[in-house]
Amino acid sequence: GTSFEYVATDGSVDSVPARVFLRIAPPNSPPVITSTPPSAVNGGDGGSFAYAATATDPDVGDTITWSARLLWATNFASESLVLSVNPSTGVLSINRNLAFGNFEMLIQLTATDSQGASTSQSFVVRHDITARTPLPSVVGASYASATTTLGAAGFIAAVLE
């Protein structure tokens, strides 16, 4: 830092000298969000969604804290939704019965550094139950063929007795 001294006067009497100390610090830069959010949730994904957001901060030593807000949602009551973000890791989770139906939601994710500078990323997540992976027909197929067909579609074949 630096300092200087000054004296005030009214033309007749001088004040006691005063010293001013200045510390000039570089400006604080906000974090930069480096991840790209997904825009759709497949209808077959069940009851959860997660996005691992990442960010960097150009200021050495700054730590990043994450927060999230649901700005709007269509086709379901927002109180049926659990939107949470881990403040340390930036993992955003949405938990609800995603099989409920089609919906859209606008989410704002914010990264704030330890000096108070922040940046936000807003994105829309769409859920379309018609996007579910169709169950392939394996009626009449051999077990080996059915297992291969179901596995290729992302399903696990099992025999129930």
Side-chain angles (χ1 to χ4, degrees), residues 4-8 15-20:
F4 64 91
E5 243 181 52
Y6 69 93
V7 175
S15 69
V16 175
R19 180 171 296 273
V20 174

Side-chain angles (χ1 to χ4, degrees), residues 27-160:
N28 182 39
S29 298
V32 176
I33 297 176
T34 56
S35 54
T36 302
S39 61
V41 178
N42 185 306
D45 287 344
S48 65
F49 160 87
Y51 163 45
T54 57
T56 59
D57 194 293
D59 301 312
V60 176
D62 276 2
T63 57
I64 296 172
T65 302
W66 294 91
S67 60
R69 289 184 352 170
L70 177 65
L71 299 178
W72 60 257
T74 61
N75 294 341
F76 66 89
S78 61
E79 54 273 2
S80 71
L81 173 78
V82 177
L83 176 72
S84 62
V85 64
N86 182 307
S88 301
T89 66
V91 174
L92 173 73
S93 299
I94 302 169
N95 294 304
R96 70 177 302 275
N97 181 5
L98 295 181
F100 178 73
N102 297 339
F103 64 83
E104 290 185 332
M105 64 182 89
L106 177 61
I107 299 168
Q108 182 181 58
L109 189 61
T110 302
T112 304
D113 70 18
S114 49
Q115 301 298 313
S118 65
T119 190
S120 293
Q121 180 183 69
S122 296
F123 53 97
V124 174
V125 173
R126 289 176 182 82
H127 178 261
D128 181 359
I129 61 171
T130 60
R132 291 180 185 212
T133 303
L135 180 62
S137 176
V138 293
V139 174
S142 70
Y143 178 76
S145 175
T147 301
T148 301
T149 301
L150 291 171
F155 294 97
I156 298 171
V159 176
L160 301 176

